[in-house]
Amino acid sequence: QVQLVESGGGLVQPGGSLRLSCAASGSIGSINVMGWYRQAPGKQRELVASVTNGDSTNYIDSAKGRFTISRGNDENTVYLQMNSLKPEDTAVYYCNVDIRDSIRWDRHVYWGQGTQVTVSS
């Protein structure tokens, strides 16, 4: 079993910054991909950014140049630095990890509990 603990959401004014963190722990053999999704009210969940175990990154177009995804030194933590935030970035942000477990080397996908990001003046 794998646990994900998210932190860093909150209320920020337009143009402000937030940093989201997600720490994964448990029966982790290797992590293939770590990412952040978001879901705004009445909208589908969408991928915001992801990073592979080879440090290849991918961003939604609206996040390019404003958001940066990175992995911690322990490689089990993923961060999302969000700058120049806009009201349309308001959503619940979910951490997502694609792993192989350390026992049977089976592939699993886990989701965090979600953290609210609200951009408003």
Side-chain angles (χ1 to χ4, degrees):
Q1 191 66 292
V2 170
Q3 297 77 41
L4 301 179
V5 178
E6 299 175 4
S7 62
L11 172 65
V12 65
Q13 292 186 341
S17 298
L18 284 174
R19 190 192 196 204
L20 306 183
S21 301
C22 174
S25 62
S27 303
I28 299 172
S30 71
I31 296 180
N32 301 315
V33 184
M34 304 185 83
W36 289 95
Y37 287 70
R38 68 186 179 189
Q39 187 166 19
K43 295 188 177 181
Q44 289 189 327
R45 190 173 296 189
E46 62 181 359
L47 175 64
V48 177
S50 64
V51 57
T52 70
N53 58 3
D55 289 329
S56 176
T57 58
N58 180 52
Y59 296 92
I60 191 173
D61 284 346
S62 63
K64 291 178 180 177
R66 300 189 299 127
F67 294 3
T68 302
I69 191 169
S70 61
R71 294 178 67 172
N73 290 334
D74 65 357
E75 297 189 343
N76 285 1
T77 302
V78 63
Y79 303 100
L80 184 67
Q81 177 67 43
M82 302 185 293
N83 299 329
S84 302
L85 282 161
K86 304 175 181 180
E88 51 264 43
D89 294 316
T90 295
V92 178
Y93 284 70
Y94 296 91
C95 176
N96 172 278
V97 295
D98 179 332
I99 71 143
R100 289 199 179 271
D101 69 70
S102 60
I103 300 173
R104 299 181 59 178
W105 211 244
D106 289 336
R107 186 175 178 180
H108 304 276
V109 176
Y110 293 93
W111 291 89
Q113 78 279 8
T115 185
Q116 177 70 45
V117 171
T118 302
V119 185
S120 175
S121 55

